[in-house]
Amino acid sequence: MRSHPKTLRIVLYFLIGLTLCLATVGLKVIATWAIETYLYALPVVGGLFASLELMEISSVILVAMLALALGVLTIYLPSVWPLAGKLVLLALGIPLIIAAGHITRQTIWVQRVSLNAGISPVQAQEVTDAFLRQQTGQDGGWAYYRYTAENPQPPLAFENITALTAEDMTALQSQLSEASGLNVGWFSTLFSWVGWLIRFVYGVVTGLIAVIYFFKGKQWAEQQTPQRQTPQSP
């Protein structure tokens, strides 16, 4: 009979934890939509903000909140549980939060192409997939992730998507080239490396923040658990 309360607490941990993970993913979708709609759409500076991947700041904040909450929830788990078991939900939640942002951005892109070209969403999906295959050799979410690392703002005009070649640059790179007098190809190379570097830095920061805040929450949970006193030897 003693095992039933422990089992119930473990089930509660995973139920509440999964709910928090899904809720955090939902918040990331909302944050991405707001940033893509209002911040990245600003003239000139919107492209700069997109290049700096400011959307990922929301990932850092949301991951910190989730990690802290999951750490606190370990109060439901037996103290003998291995650390790896306690980190399962966090390891699941982090990539879901990050992926949700890029999937949302891609969905908004397809919707904008559909509206601008006056075509159906299904046709817009086919056009954008064809464009991604032309640029990266693949289509779908991973192709979009790769492409936007080097070109933060994919084209919206139908004629640009259907006619764009690998040598064509984004509007922001063209504007920087005109303002500085430097070759557009130089900015293409710079954006290619910088985009991946920025994502790597955000990834490292997100991982560190997740670990720090998870252990903060876990430490609080351990402090709330009464410790068994070992009998003193006479």
Side-chain angles (χ1 to χ4, degrees), residues 106-215:
Q106 185 180 11
T107 301
I108 294 173
W109 176 46
V110 173
Q111 290 174 347
R112 287 176 174 173
V113 170
S114 174
L115 291 173
N116 287 349
I119 58 179
S120 69
V122 174
Q123 290 174 312
Q125 185 69 61
E126 293 174 352
V127 169
T128 53
D129 281 343
F131 171 76
L132 291 174
R133 282 194 298 270
Q134 178 187 6
Q135 299 297 308
T136 67
Q138 298 175 310
D139 57 23
W142 174 243
Y144 179 82
Y145 181 81
R146 287 177 54 197
Y147 178 79
T148 53
E150 301 178 10
N151 304 276
Q153 289 185 310
L156 299 178
F158 181 79
E159 59 273 11
N160 289 346
I161 290 180
T162 55
L164 198 63
T165 64
E167 288 75 22
D168 291 314
M169 299 297 119
T170 64
L172 176 61
Q173 293 174 21
S174 299
Q175 292 169 0
L176 291 174
S177 176
E178 292 175 2
S180 64
L182 297 174
N183 189 282
V184 178
W186 189 89
F187 286 102
S188 175
T189 303
L190 177 63
F191 273 54
S192 174
W193 285 97
V194 169
W196 286 109
L197 178 60
I198 289 174
R199 287 187 177 180
F200 174 77
V201 171
Y202 274 123
V204 171
V205 171
T206 300
L208 290 175
I209 290 293
V211 171
I212 291 171
Y213 277 85
F214 176 82
F215 279 99

Side-chain angles (χ1 to χ4, degrees), residues 1-205:
M1 296 293 293
R2 292 183 179 180
S3 61
H4 292 298
K6 289 184 178 180
T7 302
L8 179 60
R9 290 169 68 87
I10 293 172
V11 170
L12 280 174
Y13 169 78
F14 280 100
L15 284 178
I16 298 174
L18 284 172
T19 301
L20 288 174
C21 288
L22 293 175
T24 308
V25 169
L27 289 174
K28 180 58 186 292
V29 170
I30 295 173
T32 302
W33 176 84
I35 292 171
E36 181 71 28
T37 302
Y38 298 107
L39 193 61
Y40 288 178
L42 293 174
V44 182
V45 294
L48 178 61
F49 291 153
S51 301
L52 294 175
E53 298 276 1
L54 292 189
M55 176 187 73
E56 294 306 322
I57 294 178
S58 65
S59 293
V60 176
I61 297 172
L62 291 172
V63 165
M65 294 169 57
L66 177 64
L68 182 64
L70 291 178
V72 169
L73 279 178
T74 58
I75 195 171
Y76 286 108
L77 297 176
S79 58
V80 296
W81 259 51
L83 180 61
K86 297 177 180 179
L87 287 169
V88 166
L89 289 181
L90 184 60
L92 174 67
I94 292 176
L96 286 178
I97 292 170
I98 295 174
H102 296 284
I103 293 173
T104 302
R105 285 199 67 198
Q106 185 180 11
T107 301
I108 294 173
W109 176 46
V110 173
Q111 290 174 347
R112 287 176 174 173
V113 170
S114 174
L115 291 173
N116 287 349
I119 58 179
S120 69
V122 174
Q123 290 174 312
Q125 185 69 61
E126 293 174 352
V127 169
T128 53
D129 281 343
F131 171 76
L132 291 174
R133 282 194 298 270
Q134 178 187 6
Q135 299 297 308
T136 67
Q138 298 175 310
D139 57 23
W142 174 243
Y144 179 82
Y145 181 81
R146 287 177 54 197
Y147 178 79
T148 53
E150 301 178 10
N151 304 276
Q153 289 185 310
L156 299 178
F158 181 79
E159 59 273 11
N160 289 346
I161 290 180
T162 55
L164 198 63
T165 64
E167 288 75 22
D168 291 314
M169 299 297 119
T170 64
L172 176 61
Q173 293 174 21
S174 299
Q175 292 169 0
L176 291 174
S177 176
E178 292 175 2
S180 64
L182 297 174
N183 189 282
V184 178
W186 189 89
F187 286 102
S188 175
T189 303
L190 177 63
F191 273 54
S192 174
W193 285 97
V194 169
W196 286 109
L197 178 60
I198 289 174
R199 287 187 177 180
F200 174 77
V201 171
Y202 274 123
V204 171
V205 171

